[in-house]
Amino acid sequence: MAGRRADSGWIVSGADPINWLSLTLRPLGVACSTSLSFPKGAMMPKVLQHSGHVLSQLGQEVAQAWSLLIEQYRNDRRLRIFARELVSANLLLIFLPAAVIWAGGAGLIAVPDTDFLHPGRDGSLPEMFNYAQTGLTAAFLFLAWRSGESLACLAWAALFVFVLLDDSLQYHEHMGEWLARVLALTDRDGLRAVDFGELLAWVLAAAVLLPLVAVSALRTAGRERGFAILIGAVFSALVFFGLAVDMLHQFTGLRALTLLEDGGEMLSIAAACILSFGWYRLGRANPGR
């Protein structure tokens, strides 16, 4: 069959982890390339014309970084295996508790204590796995920087170290409780006072870390900046699932949102880990590119 690889048995199609990422990230490059494009000679404010030029350039840089990653993925068997196994492990750890509970409800098995398998439980197997892949993401980004990549890789590595520390030490939970108590926050609109405190804790952390990432990205260009934008897109997805979906879950109480939140966080970090490993491997295969 056309497009099949004999060494891995995967088809470059929708089942491929990198193509799954492409469906998520490719619109970013398209949007940047087409946004604010004006006909030649059109009388538009200079600021809008400049914005259109900048976005078009960023779109080209994202497309360049993405094409390099795709080429590396197709030529690097180790990267393909890593991506396949990481995505498979995440899907197993996300859906295994739900499958066990369903089988117990259907009377097929005696339901054991599933807390150890639940992604949202402290100390659970999925949580430990998430720590590992977050740490790997930071390590790959650091190694990419050591291999000669831009400072943006080091900045993103620091940010993922913070994500790891936040998950393991529960920074935003503890800081949120403290802020809710000190600021005398109250429950409102279906959200608890501690939820507002956690939101403020995230804002404080972002105010410190995001400027470092932004400055490092501005000081680079070309494919390196395109890669930084790709990682930023994945990190945005992580924030969406970890913050927005979590708040929605607290507001509605829908149990399905727990699976969406925990699963979305795990797959977002898996995506960042695959991209970081691919960029590191790319740098090793093409030193001084």
Side-chain angles (χ1 to χ4, degrees), residues 150-153 155-156 207-221 225 228:
S150 69
L151 193 62
C153 284
W156 277 114
V208 174
L209 295 170
L210 291 185
L212 298 177
V213 173
V215 169
S216 66
L218 289 174
R219 295 184 62 181
T220 187
R225 183 162 57 190

Side-chain angles (χ1 to χ4, degrees), residues 129-183:
F129 183 83
N130 218 26
Y131 293 167
Q133 64 179 359
T134 304
L136 278 176
T137 301
F140 291 145
L141 288 166
F142 177 77
L143 289 173
W145 171 71
R146 286 290 303 271
S147 299
E149 292 300 327
S150 69
L151 193 62
C153 284
L154 182 61
W156 277 114
L159 193 57
F160 276 97
V161 167
F162 169 76
V163 171
L164 176 60
L165 294 176
D166 174 61
D167 285 341
S168 58
L169 301 180
Q170 298 182 322
Y171 154 78
H172 74 273
E173 288 91 347
H174 294 313
M175 179 63 76
E177 292 177 358
W178 182 79
L179 288 172
R181 184 173 62 255
V182 169
L183 299 177

Side-chain angles (χ1 to χ4, degrees), residues 84-279:
R84 178 188 64 190
E85 299 302 330
L86 189 65
V87 171
S88 299
N90 273 272
L91 292 175
L92 177 65
L93 291 172
I94 290 169
F95 291 106
L96 181 59
V100 170
I101 293 174
W102 175 84
L108 300 177
I109 61 173
V111 180
D113 183 4
T114 60
D115 280 356
F116 182 65
L117 295 175
H118 198 291
R121 298 290 189 270
D122 292 336
S124 66
L125 179 60
E127 186 179 55
M128 296 298 106
F129 183 83
N130 218 26
Y131 293 167
Q133 64 179 359
T134 304
L136 278 176
T137 301
F140 291 145
L141 288 166
F142 177 77
L143 289 173
W145 171 71
R146 286 290 303 271
S147 299
E149 292 300 327
S150 69
L151 193 62
C153 284
L154 182 61
W156 277 114
L159 193 57
F160 276 97
V161 167
F162 169 76
V163 171
L164 176 60
L165 294 176
D166 174 61
D167 285 341
S168 58
L169 301 180
Q170 298 182 322
Y171 154 78
H172 74 273
E173 288 91 347
H174 294 313
M175 179 63 76
E177 292 177 358
W178 182 79
L179 288 172
R181 184 173 62 255
V182 169
L183 299 177
L185 300 177
T186 59
D187 298 350
R188 184 177 179 182
D189 297 329
L191 294 175
R192 303 167 302 171
V194 69
D195 294 327
F196 291 108
E198 290 180 5
L199 182 60
L200 287 175
W202 278 112
V203 170
L204 291 174
V208 174
L209 295 170
L210 291 185
L212 298 177
V213 173
V215 169
S216 66
L218 289 174
R219 295 184 62 181
T220 187
R223 65 196 73 179
E224 287 83 8
R225 183 162 57 190
F227 173 73
I229 294 174
L230 287 175
I231 288 291
V234 175
F235 187 80
S236 297
L238 174 62
V239 172
F240 171 77
F241 288 111
L243 187 59
V245 177
D246 178 54
M247 291 294 179
L248 185 61
H249 174 237
Q250 296 294 338
F251 183 75
T252 64
L254 293 176
R255 294 184 61 184
L257 290 176
T258 302
L259 181 63
L260 179 63
E261 176 193 348
D262 297 328
E265 287 182 6
M266 291 185 67
L267 290 175
S268 295
I269 293 176
C273 193
I274 293 169
L275 287 174
S276 302
F277 185 54
W279 199 251

